[in-house]
Amino acid sequence: AQSVTQLDSQVPVFEEAPVELRCNYSSSVSVYLFWYVQYPNQGLQLLLKYLSGSTLVKGINGFEAEFNKSQTSFHLRKPSVHISDTAEYFCAVSERTSGSRLTFGEGTQLTVNP
Amino acid sequence: NAGVMQNPRHLVRRRGQEARLRCSPMKGHSHVYWYRQLPEEGLKFMVYLQKENIIDESGMPKERFSAEFPKEGPSILRIQQVVRGDSAAYFCASSPPDKPYEQYFGPGTRLTVT
């Protein structure tokens, strides 16, 4: 079984500031890692995923994440945020062997203020 | 290429009624997943289906909930005798057959039980 912990439930930042959303996971097997974004009253959109290879993964909208196996972390970063980045962000994992069901964290609400 | 379609987007039911939620996967996708998002919580896996088969229903409540994905037509999540605790957003995702980890989400159905 896997679990995902998003360490911050809310992150307020000012526009053009850098941001890091933290995610730690626990699993007895190898996993794939994902970040999704959810805008109000909408579905989830995939930001980026780590399957294998380079531990630094670049996604859409200028976001990137780094997989750290020893710390079992997959933190999401953006060097300069925009007002439009205000949304809920979810970290998720799935088992490599089946790759099917996603286990999500509780989410981090990112609010970008002018 | 149309994305994952869900309908209705909003559904209001009185306690004891039945709720039927529909999901049409993306073209070429034969795998469907249902997730539930309770207020102020992350998404929780419910069930994973392929055409005419339930692959993993370990996240489904034992009673009142059922899901199907027939050979023709959309996947249906059915909730019988709804209770207030069923009020949530229900999201469907689909994936291509060779990449079950690559899940694309629909906009969700927001169920309100009065």
Side-chain angles (χ1 to χ4, degrees):
Chain A
Q2 305 89 43
S3 66
V4 178
T5 302
Q6 292 184 240
L7 295 129
D8 306 292
S9 59
Q10 303 208 19
V11 174
V13 294
F14 287 110
E15 195 173 16
E16 297 183 8
V19 71
E20 178 180 80
L21 306 184
R22 296 179 293 169
C23 172
N24 286 91
Y25 70 93
S26 172
S27 177
S28 56
V29 299
S30 294
V31 295
Y32 297 129
L33 296 147
F34 309 85
W35 275 98
Y36 283 86
V37 61
Q38 184 180 31
Y39 298 102
N41 297 317
Q42 294 187 27
L44 277 72
Q45 181 182 5
L46 181 64
L47 272 180
L48 47 80
K49 60 181 182 282
Y50 174 76
L51 304 180
S52 64
S54 172
T55 57
L56 183 62
V57 180
K58 293 192 183 297
I60 62 171
N61 301 340
F63 284 93
E64 63 181 31
E66 186 156 20
F67 169 52
N68 187 319
K69 188 175 181 180
S70 62
Q71 297 186 4
T72 61
S73 68
F74 191 54
H75 300 334
L76 181 71
R77 301 185 183 99
K78 186 170 182 177
S80 175
V81 294
H82 303 290
I83 300 281
S84 59
D85 291 323
T86 295
E88 187 94 20
Y89 291 79
F90 292 96
C91 182
V93 302
S94 69
E95 284 186 16
R96 281 182 175 268
T97 49
S98 63
S100 55
R101 61 184 294 172
L102 291 167
T103 300
F104 285 89
E106 296 294 313
T108 297
Q109 173 64 45
L110 174 65
T111 302
V112 182
N113 298 301
Chain B
N1 187 11
V4 178
M5 310 286 285
Q6 288 188 252
N7 67 80
R9 293 291 308 274
H10 300 274
L11 182 61
V12 179
R13 284 288 176 265
R14 292 190 178 136
R15 279 180 298 170
Q17 291 184 320
E18 179 179 286
R20 278 180 180 250
L21 288 62
R22 294 175 185 77
C23 169
S24 296
M26 286 179 69
K27 188 176 180 180
H29 288 190
S30 56
H31 295 199
V32 165
Y33 313 80
W34 286 93
Y35 294 85
R36 178 165 66 174
Q37 185 178 33
L38 293 167
E40 308 298 325
E41 292 188 19
L43 280 77
K44 298 284 193 277
F45 168 81
M46 298 181 76
V47 62
Y48 164 32
L49 309 107
Q50 295 176 17
K51 287 280 188 182
E52 299 184 284
N53 279 310
I54 296 175
I55 306 303
D56 180 359
E57 57 180 346
S58 57
M60 288 278 270
K62 294 288 184 279
E63 297 177 348
R64 302 188 295 108
F65 285 72
S66 62
E68 62 176 7
F69 189 16
K71 188 175 180 181
E72 301 290 337
S75 175
I76 306 285
L77 180 67
R78 182 181 177 207
I79 311 172
Q80 294 179 286
Q81 299 175 332
V82 295
V83 300
R84 287 223 173 100
D86 296 332
S87 295
Y90 292 82
F91 291 95
C92 168
S94 72
S95 72
D98 57 336
K99 296 180 182 178
Y101 50 80
E102 198 168 286
Q103 297 181 23
Y104 296 83
F105 282 78
T109 294
R110 280 156 180 81
L111 172 66
T112 302
V113 179
T114 61

